Amino acid sequence: MRKHSIKNTRINNEVQRELSNILRGGVKDPRVAEMTTVVAVEVASDLKTCKAYVSVLGDLKVQEDTIAGLQSAEGFIRRELARNLNMRNTPTVQFVLDQSIAYGVNMSKKIDEVIKDS
């Protein structure tokens, strides 16, 4: 399966939607922040692994705790994925902290400051 095929895109979207639902209602680890969103998911072409890019609202300590909590709950999350998705192989999930939203907000503030000073 090619990386940008329609099937791979559809699988990525389904896994992202299910991961969002699981994080919203299923993970009971107190380290996982409530304002955690799944930004993107990349499932490998063999459907055995996937990278989930997660954005966390909070400081660096909250972000690190959330990633640690998600990694410790990976077994539960994978089991819930297997239950909710009809796939032959349930991928193991690797959580990666995504800083793109914070970066965008920071750049927007800097642009506003430059415009205000001009």
Side-chain angles (χ1 to χ4, degrees), residues 91-110:
T92 58
V93 183
Q94 177 187 3
F95 293 99
V96 179
L97 188 60
D98 185 40
Q99 299 286 353
S100 63
I101 295 175
Y103 179 77
V105 169
N106 188 24
M107 290 306 288
S108 178
K109 285 181 183 177
K110 288 182 180 182

Side-chain angles (χ1 to χ4, degrees), residues 61-74:
K61 172 100 171 84
V62 172
Q63 293 173 353
E64 290 172 353
D65 288 347
T66 299
I67 293 296
L70 289 173
Q71 288 172 348
S72 71
E74 197 267 332

